[in-house]
Amino acid sequence: MSIPLLPSWPPSLPSEAVSYLSDQATDYALAHGIVYRPVALSPTTAPALDSAIHAPFSLLPSPFPRALFDRAQSIQPAYDLLYAQVSSDHTFLQRVIGQSVIHVDEFQKQLWDIYISVKDDLVQPLSLGLFRSDYLLHDAASEGEKGSRSGELELKQVEFNTISASFGALCTKVNGLHRHLASTTDYLGAHEQLKSLDNLPLNAAQEVLIEGLAKAHAAYNATAQAYVLFVVQEGERNAFDQRPLEHALQAQGIRVVRQTFAEIAQRMSLTGQDRKLLLAHPVLGEIEISVVYYRAGYGPSDYASAKDWETRKQLERSRAIKCPSIAVQLAGAKKVQQVLAEPDRLEPLLSTIGMENKVNEMRETFSDLYPLDTSPLGQKGYELAQTEPQNFVLKPQREGGGNNVYREDIPGFLAQLEAGEGEKGAVAKRQAYILMSLIKPPAGLGNYLVKAATKDARAGAVLAKDTVSELGVYGAVLFENGAEKVKVHHHRSGGYLLRTKGRESDEGGVAVGFSVIDSPLLI
């Protein structure tokens, strides 16, 4: 595939032009709900509910190869169905998770214990997956530390998200921001390709997520007015990425209620043989729940006590459709990603779902992935982690960012795992991680990052001269287990998230301040 050269970025703009565009963009962001709640004044207080700041965004869209953008879109349906199939394959999950990860990862063990205890006693056969597959551009020409925009670019998958795939609303709005600036200012003539809206693809991410939730609600077939339950974190700053989904559902006549695990524990009950999920809401009264949509529950910190785990179990047992189910969440473990990259693992699964024609395209997105167990591949991975750590990242079975170990920190981290343990214990602890070759994004790309003022930084556009952009593609699939393969009731893929950060940051979280929300300028 021929990939055009990416232009040097950003184009030259005088300071007055940057300020003008930044002012226009900031007002657009505030007017269109591209906002966060501000950081709490102290660790012991919640964010203020009556004020907001704009979410971080890029002033200009970032160049991205059109052919690779299209490829990411074209293979998303296969990825959606693949992970739906994995979640329905108990034998696969038992081998990959039940016989490995849970022995060294307490969080995964808690999920697995719930999965095992309920899998043969489910009253709701349907599951909803709202997925996002994340990619980086890899510059094959940079292997010799040359670093270029040479056209030897490849699309490499970072991870596949099966729970709380966020920013579908905000990324749609930032796409609108960039299209607004292009159509009203031509970006002051900064670059020829910024003048054409055809290079700024419309973003259907929010629509894909909303349609998935609406289809699940309809499939629940409530006899009375039922609500979609958003399970949220206490003091959520990113509520305005969630509220647009809620408001769009409500515009269709589908009511939504937001609750934390603690609130659900106090108010929930399962009634009847079909275990209808009811909430005794203090204002709304007793309400029935059709869909449980998790925007919390993806990490250990969301489960403060055994009571929270029991709440998750009871939600899983209920008639409500889960997004995701425990099985779908387990399918998103990094260990699954690593196993799928092994020889001959992907092919039979894709054949089962009729997507065998996508094998080569999907494999081309895989980085080198290794277990850290006693298998020959695991032993090779451990050796590479010790001898060539600068080329790798160590990943645990976690969502949400901030959990990885990078480059030269890897040998010392592994040594800590092994300290005071015999070889058997050391190997066991290592199995909680996978080793992934580092993706090397092209050099020569920067952007103006626009952030709200904090105690550490001023407001406005700041030039980041060396940036990295990560592309995510969304998918929604409503399915149930079949005798051999999943039975699909609704499936739609599309929309995208582009996050951009300074190259010096290994982590990519927007909410925690590392990245800004961006959109692609297709080249």
Side-chain angles (χ1 to χ4, degrees), residues 19-34:
S19 295
Y20 176 79
L21 291 171
S22 179
D23 289 345
Q24 299 299 310
T26 298
D27 277 358
Y28 183 98
L30 292 171
H32 288 79
I34 306 174

Side-chain angles (χ1 to χ4, degrees), residues 13-20:
L13 282 166
S15 59
E16 296 84 357
V18 172
S19 295
Y20 176 79

Side-chain angles (χ1 to χ4, degrees), residues 138 143 154-158 334 337-343 362-372 377 380-381 384-385 388 391-395 434-440:
H138 176 67
E143 302 292 359
E154 302 169 348
L155 191 72
K156 293 297 182 182
Q157 187 183 56
V158 178
K334 302 299 184 292
Q337 182 185 6
Q338 178 264 305
V339 169
L340 290 174
E342 292 178 1
M362 293 176 76
R363 282 206 173 274
E364 286 176 359
T365 69
F366 294 166
S367 295
D368 293 334
L369 293 157
Y370 299 91
L372 290 174
L377 194 62
K380 180 180 179 181
L384 289 170
E388 301 178 23
N391 295 322
F392 292 95
V393 54
L394 200 62
K395 291 188 170 186
I434 66 165
L435 190 72
M436 179 178 180
S437 61
L438 281 171
I439 303 167
K440 299 179 179 179

Side-chain angles (χ1 to χ4, degrees), residues 228-240:
V228 174
L229 169 63
F230 282 31
V231 183
V232 298
Q233 294 174 327
E234 189 75 40
E236 174 63 79
R237 292 185 60 222
N238 196 27
F240 303 108

Side-chain angles (χ1 to χ4, degrees), residues 441-498:
L445 301 173
N447 209 324
Y448 291 95
L449 311 184
V450 186
K451 300 182 181 182
T454 67
K455 61 183 179 65
D456 300 316
R458 64 178 176 84
V462 175
L463 176 61
K465 295 182 179 180
D466 192 6
T467 58
V468 172
S469 296
E470 182 174 314
L471 175 72
V473 180
Y474 293 90
V477 56
L478 179 66
F479 66 95
E480 63 180 295
N481 293 353
E484 295 182 356
K485 67 176 182 177
V486 294
K487 180 180 179 181
V488 177
H489 292 256
H490 166 76
H491 184 201
R492 181 181 177 187
S493 301
Y496 58 83
L497 165 67
L498 197 71

